[in-house]
Amino acid sequence: MNNPYIWIGFNIFILIMLALDLGVFHRKAHEVKFKEAVVFSLVWIALALIFNVVIWYYFGKTRAIEYLTGYIIEKSLSIDNIFVFVLLFSSFNVPAAYQHKVLFWGVLGALIMRAIFIFAGVALIERFHWIIYIFGVFLVYTGIKIARDKGTQIDIQNNKFLKLIRKVVPFTHDYHGSRFFIRKGRFLATPLFLVLIFVEITDLIFAVDSIPAILAITNDPFIVYTSNVFAIMGLRSLYFALAGSLKYFIYLHYGLAVILVFVGIKMVISDFFKINPFVSLLIIASILMVSIVASIVKGKKVNTKPDNLSL
């Protein structure tokens, strides 16, 4: 899919959606309620699936399955981002009305970084084929680490980069609406800009895991890029829809860990044994569903457990 018009058309569509998002639907800073978040989440999921049909029609069944598998992987791994966003916003006491703006610009930066990672990853694999083994082993290691550590964690209080930023960039002590910078004789950054930096760092960290994961499914840059974009574009609304209920998905990180281990092994053995794309899709979707259902069942058991009574 090297046709430049396809790439240009897709990116124009994404830019239009971003402009509508910030310039129309979220023109005024406000707290994103659950209902609004669910609606936008469903819109982005619907757009991703419609695009999947377009790929099936124009580029065939195999490419469509690869796209859908990649989208599911990126969507499931993005949930880990949401855990960190919750931690960031609570640690910095970010008002609910300003969180969407931070995530909007965070997503824009993420799209640029992901594009760089994708083209670099594809170029490396095409030039140095043996690097797929390094990517595969790295994914297996990451999956085991996530399972062992019960998720991905970032230590904000002891973060060396945060301490360095505070020394280099002058910051205000308080928030000034939804502004990232203010001018008081000189330009000062607000705490909201500091949160934005951490959002970008978070996505950079997760991109290191997620890009090799989808490269285990396909090395077609267009499929990798578009599945990433649709997963990231729906990340903000997914955050507002799930932020309050993430604590109930207690087994989800195990599911994400198993998915990473699976795609890592798939990448390592790719030269010796090819796993059918449709089989990969079924395995990944099943792992994700089992971890979600198990979390829901466990949550119900905990909630319905009778309290101990003392006589």
Side-chain angles (χ1 to χ4, degrees):
M1 299 183 190
N2 295 321
N3 189 328
Y5 294 108
I6 297 176
W7 285 87
I8 293 171
F10 179 79
N11 283 297
I12 288 175
F13 167 74
I14 294 300
L15 289 174
I16 291 173
M17 295 302 294
L18 284 170
L20 287 173
D21 190 324
L22 190 63
V24 179
F25 298 113
H26 297 94
R27 188 174 181 179
K28 293 183 179 180
H30 66 278
E31 180 180 353
V32 179
K33 299 295 184 180
F34 176 78
K35 183 178 179 181
E36 179 184 353
V38 169
V39 169
F40 276 97
S41 292
L42 292 176
V43 167
W44 278 112
I45 292 173
L47 288 173
L49 295 179
I50 291 171
F51 189 73
N52 193 31
V53 174
V54 172
I55 290 178
W56 186 306
Y57 183 80
Y58 286 102
F59 304 108
K61 177 182 176 181
T62 300
R63 285 287 183 262
I65 293 175
E66 289 175 349
Y67 165 85
L68 184 59
T69 306
Y71 175 72
I72 291 175
I73 289 176
E74 295 301 322
K75 198 72 172 176
S76 57
L77 291 177
S78 70
I79 296 175
D80 243 10
N81 291 60
I82 296 176
F83 280 104
V84 178
F85 292 161
V86 172
L87 175 64
L88 282 173
F89 289 147
S90 60
S91 297
F92 286 99
N93 295 315
V94 180
Y98 309 146
Q99 292 177 7
H100 181 274
K101 182 178 180 179
V102 173
L103 293 180
F104 174 89
W105 291 106
V107 162
L108 195 59
L111 292 176
I112 297 172
M113 286 191 292
R114 293 294 176 104
I116 295 172
F117 267 65
I118 288 167
F119 287 106
V122 171
L124 283 172
I125 290 176
E126 289 180 348
R127 188 165 184 178
F128 308 104
H129 183 71
W130 51 266
I131 207 168
I132 65 172
Y133 303 121
I134 296 176
F135 281 169
V137 171
F138 174 74
L139 288 175
V140 172
Y141 165 77
T142 303
I144 294 172
K145 187 174 185 298
I146 288 176
R148 185 191 63 197
D149 297 343
K150 296 184 177 180
T152 306
Q153 300 175 4
I154 295 180
D155 187 355
I156 296 176
Q157 301 302 326
N158 300 314
N159 190 279
K160 294 181 180 179
F161 185 77
L162 172 60
K163 294 177 181 178
L164 177 63
I165 288 293
R166 287 189 180 278
K167 289 181 180 180
V168 175
V169 181
F171 279 89
T172 63
H173 293 290
D174 302 316
Y175 290 101
H176 292 263
S178 61
R179 297 164 68 184
F180 291 123
F181 297 95
I182 63 168
R183 187 167 184 174
K184 286 188 175 180
R186 58 173 179 165
F187 280 105
L188 298 174
T190 69
L192 205 63
F193 180 69
L194 189 60
V195 178
L196 176 61
I197 291 175
F198 260 96
V199 168
E200 299 291 6
I201 293 173
T202 297
D203 188 75
L204 182 63
I205 293 171
F206 284 110
V208 174
D209 298 336
S210 64
I211 298 304
I214 193 171
L215 288 175
I217 305 301
T218 178
N219 60 358
D220 186 315
F222 187 73
I223 297 297
V224 178
Y225 177 70
T226 52
S227 58
N228 257 270
V229 168
F230 273 113
I232 293 172
M233 290 295 288
L235 181 59
R236 290 160 300 149
S237 51
L238 190 63
Y239 162 78
F240 291 109
L242 296 181
S245 58
L246 283 176
K247 60 184 178 182
Y248 299 111
F249 294 95
I250 56 177
Y251 295 128
L252 186 58
H253 63 277
Y254 290 119
L256 301 180
V258 173
I259 288 174
L260 285 178
V261 171
F262 168 72
V263 295
I265 293 173
K266 184 178 185 294
M267 185 171 266
V268 170
I269 67 174
S270 60
D271 285 338
F272 314 100
F273 180 75
K274 297 287 186 182
I275 300 177
N276 184 281
F278 185 68
V279 173
S280 295
L281 174 60
L282 288 178
I283 291 174
I284 291 169
S286 298
I287 293 170
L288 186 61
M289 288 304 300
V290 167
S291 63
I292 292 174
V293 171
S295 298
I296 294 172
V297 171
K298 178 66 175 178
K300 286 184 177 180
K301 287 182 178 180
V302 171
N303 292 333
T304 56
K305 186 177 180 180
D307 297 329
N308 292 326
L309 298 177
S310 57
L311 299 176

